[in-house]
Amino acid sequence: MVFKKMLSAFGVGGPSVDTVLTNPNTRPGLTLDGHVNLVGGEAPASIEHIAVGLVTRVEIESGDTEYAGVMEFHRMPVSGAFELAPKQQLSIPFQLPVPWETPVTDVYGQRLHGMTMGLRTELAVARAVDKSDLDQVNVHPLPVHERILDAFQALGFRFKHADLERGHIRGVQQTLPFYQEIEFFAAPQYARTVNEVELTFVTSQQGVEVVLECDKRGGFLSSGHDTFGRYAVPHADAGRTDWVQVVDGWLRETTSRFGSMRGHGFAAPHGHHGRPGSGMGGMVAGAALGVAGGMVAGELIEDAFEGDFGDFGGDFE
């Protein structure tokens, strides 16, 4: 009996959890729908709570080093406390709002190299090890994102890599504790002045703030440096703008600032150049979405779940 109790404390013979998403594909501002399916173990179990959360991999700078951590950035309770009988089967539906600022992971049906996103289910069992489940989530662009990305492709830019940087962009209203950088190799017509361009979308219900970072090539006698441009686009403009012309204009305006950066004090968007992430931004987003329990902003997950993430994390071409 003591041995059985000990096994139960380590999760052996305890309840199991499996979350099934109705559709793993979503977009910022929409929802993820699904069911949390439970099966009771060998003995009755006191369930303390069930929660689901969006998790992703984020680049974090610490001094002169940079490392990747798994971060839960949006969380919602699915159930409070209840008793689960032995072998009892239970299916609990949920509808998780996807924050507007959620980064894009898939474009043209392909996973962006460097991006991971998952839905983590947490089953907290009294006097036992918590159980978790992880399901891959695919976040597709909104129409305005698609038009801008299409324009970059039409102008000859080639996609290089995407990642999430922990921190806040100075001067931009941001609710999540990180921002996405989509990196492109410069198109031929810009290659004389620009080496790479990094594109950031900070999306809200009203529209998108587009931040461009242009990495200038260093010359024979000069070092390279970056310049930044910031542009606001309402969602309503997605279908009624010549986006190739607009994006070309943004790039030419941004690169024209080379040489005058220090004189005009343009703000760098990076968290380490701008204001550091406070960790409170996520709570604002949770309240705005009306999600009970709010959001875990900037929480790094250091449990067995991180091993599960490796099953689908990070190496998508």
Side-chain angles (χ1 to χ4, degrees), residues 133-144:
D133 184 34
L134 184 69
D135 296 87
Q136 183 173 324
V137 170
N138 313 311
V139 183
H140 298 268
L142 291 165
V144 69

Side-chain angles (χ1 to χ4, degrees), residues 181-192:
E181 289 184 336
I182 302 173
E183 300 174 26
F184 295 94
F185 293 110
Q189 67 267 36
Y190 304 94
R192 281 177 172 270

Side-chain angles (χ1 to χ4, degrees), residues 5 37 45 55 76 106 117 159 165 197 255 262 276 312:
K5 276 186 179 176
N37 298 319
V55 294
M76 184 184 80
D106 290 67
M117 185 72 63
F159 172 74
E165 297 283 339
V197 173
T255 54
R262 285 172 180 79
F312 68 81

Side-chain angles (χ1 to χ4, degrees), residues 151-163:
F152 269 89
Q153 190 177 47
L155 287 166
F157 286 85
R158 288 185 301 115
F159 172 74
K160 179 186 175 185
H161 182 75
D163 65 10

Side-chain angles (χ1 to χ4, degrees), residues 8-258:
S8 177
F10 284 100
V12 179
S16 63
V17 58
D18 177 37
T19 296
V20 178
L21 289 169
T22 306
N23 185 349
N25 299 288
T26 188
R27 286 185 167 84
L30 299 184
T31 62
L32 278 168
D33 301 356
H35 287 79
V36 178
N37 298 319
L38 300 177
V39 179
E42 302 292 334
S46 296
I47 308 301
E48 293 178 339
H49 69 261
I50 302 171
V52 292
L54 286 172
V55 294
T56 189
R57 199 177 292 279
V58 178
E59 299 295 325
I60 298 161
E61 287 200 359
S62 177
D64 295 331
T65 62
E66 187 172 73
Y67 63 95
V70 177
M71 182 182 288
E72 180 176 82
F73 65 93
H74 185 49
R75 183 180 177 92
M76 184 184 80
V78 171
S79 170
F82 65 94
E83 294 295 316
L84 187 68
K87 306 298 183 187
Q88 181 183 356
Q89 295 186 20
L90 206 57
S91 184
I92 305 171
F94 67 87
Q95 189 172 64
L96 177 71
V98 177
W100 284 97
E101 282 180 34
T102 301
V104 171
T105 64
D106 290 67
V107 178
Y108 311 124
Q110 298 290 317
R111 174 62 54 122
L112 287 178
H113 179 61
M115 290 304 303
T116 58
M117 185 72 63
L119 181 81
R120 176 183 182 250
T121 305
E122 179 185 82
L123 174 66
V125 185
R127 299 177 303 281
V129 176
D130 291 353
K131 300 291 183 72
S132 66
D133 184 34
L134 184 69
D135 296 87
Q136 183 173 324
V137 170
N138 313 311
V139 183
H140 298 268
L142 291 165
V144 69
H145 299 147
E146 284 182 344
R147 302 297 183 273
I148 293 168
L149 291 167
D150 287 347
F152 269 89
Q153 190 177 47
L155 287 166
F157 286 85
R158 288 185 301 115
F159 172 74
K160 179 186 175 185
H161 182 75
D163 65 10
L164 303 179
E165 297 283 339
R166 188 173 191 176
H168 285 75
I169 300 172
R170 185 181 294 171
V172 175
Q173 188 64 39
Q174 203 181 319
T175 58
L176 295 185
F178 54 75
Y179 53 91
Q180 183 175 32
E181 289 184 336
I182 302 173
E183 300 174 26
F184 295 94
F185 293 110
Q189 67 267 36
Y190 304 94
R192 281 177 172 270
T193 53
V194 177
N195 187 25
E196 294 177 359
V197 173
E198 293 177 356
L199 168 66
T200 293
F201 296 124
V202 181
T203 309
S204 69
Q205 193 167 357
Q206 289 70 43
V208 180
E209 287 241 41
V210 180
V211 181
L212 299 178
E213 178 179 349
C214 296
D215 174 19
K216 185 182 182 182
R217 287 183 180 277
F220 179 59
L221 294 174
S222 63
S223 61
H225 60 266
D226 298 347
T227 184
F228 305 90
R230 205 172 88 220
Y231 306 92
V233 181
H235 288 297
D237 282 3
R240 55 170 191 248
T241 302
D242 181 350
W243 283 107
V244 173
Q245 186 180 358
V246 167
V247 171
D248 181 61
W250 288 347
L251 288 162
R252 294 188 186 283
E253 182 185 330
T254 301
T255 54
S256 73
R257 295 173 182 159
F258 283 130

